[in-house]
């Protein structure tokens, strides 16, 4: 497990996301104070989810409006059919850390 | 108790309806009947990534294995030839008839054909995977292409043709491209961008003759111009596929007439997607020919079949990719009204809003998907807002959506 410091908790407002550049980019969201990280690339096409529309704990891809649950990675609305990988997040004080190497689809 | 449901058409609408039926807990028989001989797939890629060769096969509409797990009986290549509205009998091209308690007609649309003859090799239409494959093969050995009709599909294919290095000309009969789909002012912008990527465009001209004899070599326009063409794509619109419905005695106009729950005049028959003339918010009932509207209609109609009807007039919601730009539209955009242009703060994209009596009734986003996610919610809410505030990039769309949610 290798957690990387990404940002401060105050850097991402509630309902917003941040794109983390990496081999496979990661999107980090603030869902009502809980920080959740998922793969940034939508499973329907080549599009970043970080600027997606966050509604509760779901993110809507801005290209064709597929929806994913940010807690489970599961598809909540088509056209996507494949779930997102989730990344472990750790909060230390006001620091947000993500393990960028541990992305995995939930069982 | 509903014993069996037959869905005619295994495209987007049919497949989403089957998914909704299962998601709602219906565990009876579902026949999903298609005629393309392939599993349900994502149609919009046929004019884009699949045609360009960037994607070998269009994405499937459902996760692999879902059809089997859900116990949906997919008949991918046995077209329905007749339905009997009174008793629910469905006649297939092959094999015995089937009696269903509920029938969903999701037969989509057909490409409108060129009203001039004769039919000739090298003249293509684009509606299904087979069309896309044969057009792609032809484009690989062609140098010149004429696209007849400057609507969404014509402009998308012209974009793809340029990517493949063809010399391509769009011929449009009206005075602007995309006027019906996105309105003339967006159409004018798209024409400029198409020209920038090397697509030639000719407006106010119809194709009057195909020059052959057996294989098309050129087209002649109503203004006398002759354009060389190794291939011709005819993309002059689509006609809802209403043949079955008509023969079954269901009223049709711009599609199979349904109410806002997908119900036809026959209590056991429903329709959704491109085949249906569905009621539109602030507009005339019609076939909307969009992916997102089809999905919503299919879900609504599926629930209606199970007895949970919830009237859902449609807010038109479309996307396209033209000359390298993502374009998204919501609501009413083609009728006149006050147009407010709002540039994204980052200077890359822009949204045009249409205001009617101080309310947001439509928007078109160009290269601004992030903002469109908010903008379309303002259209959904028909937010009442001051034009200057809306145009100001410092007014946060997110805040406006919150305001709309509070009933602003
Ligand atoms: C090339 C192309 C690009 C597109 N791009 C976009 C886009 O970028 N954005 C967007 O919003 N929309 C786009 N659309 C529109 C969108 O794909 C349609 O609105 C949507 O597919 C309609 O779904 P449907 O289920 O009503 O019809 P369809 O998807 O057309 O499915 C109907 C199916 O029924 C079958 N069928 C017909 N008659 C019978 C019969 N008697 N028996 C059995 N089966 C039958 C047909 O063969 C077909 O497979 C595009 C369409 C095309 C053709
Ligand atoms: S790319 Fe995300 S829904 Fe299509």
């Amino acid at each position: 497990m290798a957690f990387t410091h990404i940002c401060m908790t105050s850097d991402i407002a509630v309902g917003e996301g941040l794109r983390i550049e990496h081999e496979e980019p990661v999107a980090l969201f603030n869902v009502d104070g809980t920080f959740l990280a998922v793969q940034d690339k939508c499973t329907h096409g080549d599009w970043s989810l970080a600027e997606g529309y966050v509604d509760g704990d779901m993110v809507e891809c801005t290209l064709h409006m597929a929806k994913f649950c940010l807690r489970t990675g599961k598809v909540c609305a088509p056209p996507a059919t494949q779930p997102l990988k989730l990344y472990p997040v750790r909060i230390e004080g006001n620091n947000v850390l993500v393990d960028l190497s541990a992305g995995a689809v939930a069982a | 108790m509903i014993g069996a449901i037959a869905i005619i058409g295994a495209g987007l609408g049919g497949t989403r309806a089957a998914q909704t039926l299962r998601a709602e807990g219906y565990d009876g028989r579902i026949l999903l009947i298609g005629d393309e001989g392939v599993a349900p797939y994502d149609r919009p890629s046929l004019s884009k990534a699949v045609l360009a060769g960037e994607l070998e096969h269009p994405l499937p509409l459902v996760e692999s294995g879902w059809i089997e797990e859900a116990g949906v009986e997919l008949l991918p290549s046995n077209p329905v030839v007749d339905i009997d509205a009174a008793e629910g009998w469905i006649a297939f091209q092959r094999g015995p008839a089937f009696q269903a308690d509920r029938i969903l007609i999701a037969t989509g649309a057909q490409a409108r054909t060129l009203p001039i003859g004769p039919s000739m090799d090298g003249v293509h239409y684009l509606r299904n995977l087979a069309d896309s494959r044969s057009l792609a093969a032809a484009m690989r050995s062609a140098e010149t292409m004429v696209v007849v009709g400057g609507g969404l599909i014509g402009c998308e294919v012209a974009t793809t043709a340029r990517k493949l290095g063809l010399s391509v000309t769009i011929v449009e009969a009206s005075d602007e491209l995309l006027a019906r789909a996105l309105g003339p002012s967006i159409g004018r912008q798209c024409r400029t961008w198409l020209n920038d990527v090397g697509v030639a465009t000719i407006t106010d001209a119809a194709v009057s003759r195909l020059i052959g004899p057996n294989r098309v070599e050129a087209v002649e326009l109503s203004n006398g111009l002759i354009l060389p063409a190794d291939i011709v794509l005819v993309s002059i619109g689509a006609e809802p596929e209403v043949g079955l419905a008509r023969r079954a005695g269901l009223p049709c106009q711009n599609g199979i007439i349904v109410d806002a729950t997908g119900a036809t005049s026959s209590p056991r028959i429903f329709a959704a997607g491109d085949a249906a003339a569905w009621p539109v918010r602030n507009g005339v009932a019609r076939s909307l020919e969009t992916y997102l509207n089809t999905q919503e209609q299919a879900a609504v109609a599926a629930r209606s079949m199970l007895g949970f009807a919830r009237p859902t007039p449609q807010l038109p919601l479309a996307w396209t990719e033209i000359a390298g730009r993502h374009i998204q539209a919501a609501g009413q955009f083609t009728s006149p009204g006050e147009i407010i242009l709002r540039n994204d703060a980052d200077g890359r994209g822009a949204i045009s809003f249409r205001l009617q009596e101080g309310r947001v009734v439509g928007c078109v986003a160009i290269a601004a998907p992030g903002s469109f996610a908010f903008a379309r919610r303002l259209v959904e809410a028909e937010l009442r807002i001051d034009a200057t505030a809306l145009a100001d990039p410092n007014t946060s769309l997110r805040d406006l959506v919150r305001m709309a949610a509070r009933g602003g």
Side-chain angles (χ1 to χ4, degrees), chain A residues 14-17 43-45 47 51-55 60-67 77-83, chain B residues 16 19 42 59-64 291-292 295 317 319 321 326 328 369-374 376-377 398 401-402:
Chain A
V14 169
E16 292 196 18
T43 59
H44 177 250
W47 201 249
E51 73 159 341
Y53 181 89
V54 178
D55 186 3
E60 180 184 275
C61 177
T62 57
L63 209 49
H64 312 125
M65 287 85 184
K67 288 185 193 171
T81 62
Q82 302 298 319
Chain B
R16 294 291 179 241
Q19 285 179 298
D42 211 43
L59 293 175
L61 287 181
V62 293
E63 221 175 325
S64 77
Y291 196 94
L292 291 168
Q295 284 194 159
L317 213 48
W319 78 72
E321 284 170 49
H326 289 285
Q328 296 160 297
S371 302
F372 180 76
F374 295 97
R376 78 173 171 93
R377 289 174 162 88
R398 183 187 295 271
V401 169
R402 290 202 180 113

Side-chain angles (χ1 to χ4, degrees), chain A residues 8-65:
Chain A
M8 308 301 287
T9 48
S10 56
D11 289 340
I12 309 177
V14 169
E16 292 196 18
L18 176 76
R19 181 178 147 105
I20 308 168
E21 295 304 333
H22 191 66
E23 267 168 37
E24 286 183 29
V26 173
L28 176 63
F29 293 93
N30 177 346
V31 175
D32 297 323
T34 305
F35 288 80
L36 299 167
V38 297
Q39 78 184 64
D40 183 53
K41 185 173 171 290
C42 179
T43 59
H44 177 250
D46 192 359
W47 201 249
S48 165
L49 292 172
E51 73 159 341
Y53 181 89
V54 178
D55 186 3
D57 59 5
M58 280 189 303
V59 64
E60 180 184 275
C61 177
T62 57
L63 209 49
H64 312 125
M65 287 85 184

Side-chain angles (χ1 to χ4, degrees), chain B residues 246-301:
Chain B
R246 265 226 171 92
R247 284 198 298 282
L250 304 175
C252 300
Q253 189 179 10
N254 302 328
I256 304 162
I257 295 177
V258 293
D259 67 13
T261 71
T264 68
S265 58
S266 156
R268 69 168 80 233
I269 305 182
F270 298 75
D274 288 4
W278 195 288
V280 172
R281 246 165 78 175
N282 305 319
V284 246
R286 62 185 188 277
S287 161
L288 287 168
E289 296 175 38
T290 79
Y291 196 94
L292 291 168
N293 292 105
T294 297
Q295 284 194 159
E296 184 173 48
Q297 290 173 17
V300 170

Side-chain angles (χ1 to χ4, degrees), chain B residues 2 4-9 17 21 26 29 31 33 80 82-91 98-107 244-245 248 250 256 258 261-264 266-272 301-302 304-306:
Chain B
I2 299 172
I5 295 179
I7 300 174
I8 308 175
L21 290 172
Y26 169 74
R29 289 185 73 180
L31 264 63
I33 310 156
V80 170
D82 259 315
I83 48 187
D84 156 45
E87 303 288 332
W89 285 100
I90 292 185
F98 180 83
Q99 193 176 24
D101 293 322
R102 298 280 182 279
I103 298 171
L104 178 69
I105 307 182
T107 45
L244 286 175
L250 304 175
I256 304 162
V258 293
T261 71
T264 68
S266 156
R268 69 168 80 233
I269 305 182
F270 298 75
S304 303
M305 289 197 285
L306 300 176

